[in-house]
Amino acid sequence: MEHPENNEEYKGLTVNSGVEQPAIVNPYLRRGRFARRQLSASDYVEGIVKGNVTILGQAVTLVESTSPAHQAIAQEVIERCLPYSGKSIRVGISGVPGAGKSTSIDEFGIHVLERTGGKLAVLAIDPSSEKTKGSILGDKTRMEKLSVHPDSFIRPSPSAGSLGGVARKTRETIILCEAAGFDKIFVETVGVGQSETACHSMVDFFLVIQLAGTGDELQGIKRGIMEMADGIVINKCDGDNVDACHLAARQFQNALHLFPMPESGWLPRVLCYSGFYGLGIKEVWDMIYEYVDFVKANGYFEHRRAEQAKYWMYESINEQLRNSFYNHPTIASLLPAAERSVLDGQKTSFVAAKNLLETYLRIIQA
Ligand code: GDP
């Protein structure tokens, strides 16, 4: 018999019924007299708005669930949390593995909590976790100080689904966290692939962590990243590495001048710091707060958020269309043969795709 804690229906959907629980000798007893009550959407919303992090965590589990029943409640909860959301500063933090993201986020997090009070949520977008079925980013053990801080909420990247799905869940989690009173949101992402675009499209400030290397780091950096960055920070500016970091910073700053002025009117800056030794952290956050004041004054802050909402509407349409197509039983049954015919060279990819899409359109129009 399956242990109740492993049951998808049980996980994240239950709360103490209010009856004083005895020490649990046999966990199956919970299903009997001490059975937990399933939360309604109203229970979730009420708990979240009151800032109850246990209920917030359970609601995030619901958002991440692939079960249609869970999704239905999750969407209602998100909808009802929307009026309470939006009042945070959202900062995206990107960098290749080893750039020092977790070390830096730990320092950044403690800095902003000490500087402005409030509450901080650290979320992540890590599509690579799909492969290992375990998310790496946002893992609490990577952020020693924040993980024990009473005003922080750290949530690893949702691991199931496509990048679009993973990113959507992170975005929805932002809404829930904001409704729960989190006024600072960090979204961590790996500095590879499309995950940065997804992260950029849900934050107010996109911070790119770079390392100084052999002097040719500019060749390795993708053009897209330079265009997305609101600030570039060179980490590990300590010990023997200080000169190399300052040189890299000058090169990045010069390169940034070659790009057109961003729509925000803000010329991205380049700063050096050391996450490990806690050097230059204040300056990084001075820059971010200065940016926020600047774009709030010129109207770009609201404009960017509105554009992001539009972007996510289209992303959501794309995701739902894709799911509806691939999850349709007829299409699912036809796909292996179609794939084989393409592999065997009997059909071109285009024709195979066209046949499947025509079949799908015929079914849904019937
Ligand atoms: P992540 O993979 O981007 O999250 O990187 P980590 O935060 O795990 O850091 C990777 C390695 O770089 C670890 O061994 C850190 O101790 C080290 N590191 C991180 N920040 C600094 C720094 O500011 N200076 C130095 N010298 N090492 C650092």
Side-chain angles (χ1 to χ4, degrees):
M1 189 181 169
E2 190 185 29
H3 190 287
E5 295 284 3
N6 295 330
N7 184 324
E8 186 68 14
E9 291 294 329
Y10 181 99
K11 259 194 254 171
L13 282 179
T14 51
V15 73
N16 213 314
S17 60
V19 179
E20 180 103 350
Q21 295 260 3
I24 295 168
V25 180
N26 176 353
Y28 298 102
L29 274 179
R30 284 186 183 179
R31 291 188 172 221
R33 189 173 149 217
F34 298 108
R36 289 173 172 194
R37 177 170 68 88
Q38 188 164 319
L39 289 183
S40 68
S42 299
D43 294 330
Y44 281 113
V45 176
E46 199 179 305
I48 289 170
V49 171
K50 279 187 184 152
N52 181 327
V53 284
T54 308
I55 294 195
L56 171 66
Q58 291 172 349
V60 175
T61 303
L62 212 61
V63 165
E64 292 171 355
S65 166
T66 47
S67 138
H70 292 175
Q71 272 305 311
I73 309 179
Q75 290 309 320
E76 186 182 342
V77 173
I78 294 162
E79 192 85 27
R80 289 171 57 183
C81 281
L82 263 178
Y84 303 98
S85 73
K87 297 179 199 78
S88 74
I89 301 297
R90 308 166 182 166
V91 179
I93 299 172
S94 161
V96 293
K101 291 180 297 302
S102 44
T103 313
S104 303
I105 289 174
D106 214 23
E107 286 297 320
F108 289 162
I110 296 294
H111 174 82
V112 292
L113 285 170
E114 282 174 359
R115 180 165 173 166
T116 60
K119 296 198 289 182
L120 165 71
V122 180
L123 312 176
I125 302 175
D126 179 13
S128 64
S129 61
E130 163 70 352
K131 289 189 193 120
T132 52
K133 293 285 177 212
S135 63
I136 310 155
L137 295 187
D139 185 346
K140 286 184 193 210
T141 56
R142 297 165 66 237
M143 296 159 198
E144 283 174 19
K145 292 185 224 167
L146 273 186
S147 61
V148 293
H149 196 288
D151 298 319
S152 81
F153 176 79
I154 303 175
R155 186 79 186 190
S157 175
S159 60
S162 60
L163 168 61
V166 169
R168 175 182 56 78
K169 289 168 190 173
T170 304
R171 187 164 190 270
E172 291 175 347
T173 302
I174 293 180
I175 294 167
L176 300 185
C177 289
E178 289 177 347
F182 287 83
D183 61 341
K184 296 168 246 302
I185 314 273
F186 291 177
V187 182
E188 178 184 10
T189 193
V190 277
V192 283
Q194 291 296 307
S195 52
E196 281 145 325
T197 313
C199 178
H200 178 258
S201 62
M202 63 180 81
V203 297
D204 306 312
F205 189 99
F206 192 63
L207 186 72
V208 175
I209 301 180
Q210 288 286 326
L211 295 176
T214 52
D216 58 15
E217 47 271 5
L218 280 180
Q219 289 164 16
I221 187 167
K222 287 169 285 159
R223 186 188 161 93
I225 283 280
M226 297 287 278
E227 282 166 333
M228 273 191 279
D230 299 301
I232 293 178
V233 282
I234 320 283
N235 189 20
K236 309 196 185 182
C237 186
D238 47 57
D240 295 344
N241 206 23
V242 173
D243 289 344
C245 287
H246 288 293
L247 174 66
R250 278 197 301 279
Q251 290 178 332
F252 276 114
Q253 193 73 69
N254 288 340
L256 282 167
H257 284 293
L258 303 175
F259 290 97
M261 183 59 127
E263 203 186 344
S264 58
W266 169 269
L267 183 68
R269 292 192 197 150
V270 186
L271 297 174
C272 295
Y273 79 108
S274 166
F276 189 81
Y277 292 100
L279 304 169
I281 307 287
K282 178 181 179 293
E283 287 72 13
V284 172
W285 286 88
D286 285 348
M287 165 178 73
I288 294 174
Y289 285 121
E290 195 186 318
Y291 168 89
V292 171
D293 288 344
F294 179 77
V295 291
K296 279 194 170 169
N298 74 5
Y300 180 77
F301 186 90
E302 284 308 319
H303 170 75
R304 180 158 163 172
R305 285 207 172 174
E307 284 295 313
Q308 289 174 337
K310 188 174 86 182
Y311 171 90
W312 284 100
M313 182 190 82
Y314 284 106
E315 280 297 301
S316 186
I317 292 172
N318 294 345
E319 192 194 351
Q320 287 178 46
L321 280 177
R322 207 170 26 237
N323 287 346
S324 159
F325 176 80
Y326 285 111
N327 294 339
H328 196 285
T330 308
I331 297 300
S333 70
L334 292 173
L335 269 172
E339 210 178 89
R340 259 196 317 279
S341 67
V342 171
L343 288 171
D344 295 346
Q346 288 163 0
K347 275 186 193 165
T348 66
S349 326
F350 180 78
V351 168
K354 186 164 171 279
N355 291 348
L356 284 168
L357 284 167
E358 280 169 359
T359 307
Y360 174 72
L361 291 174
R362 257 200 316 278
I363 303 167
I364 59 166
Q365 279 162 6

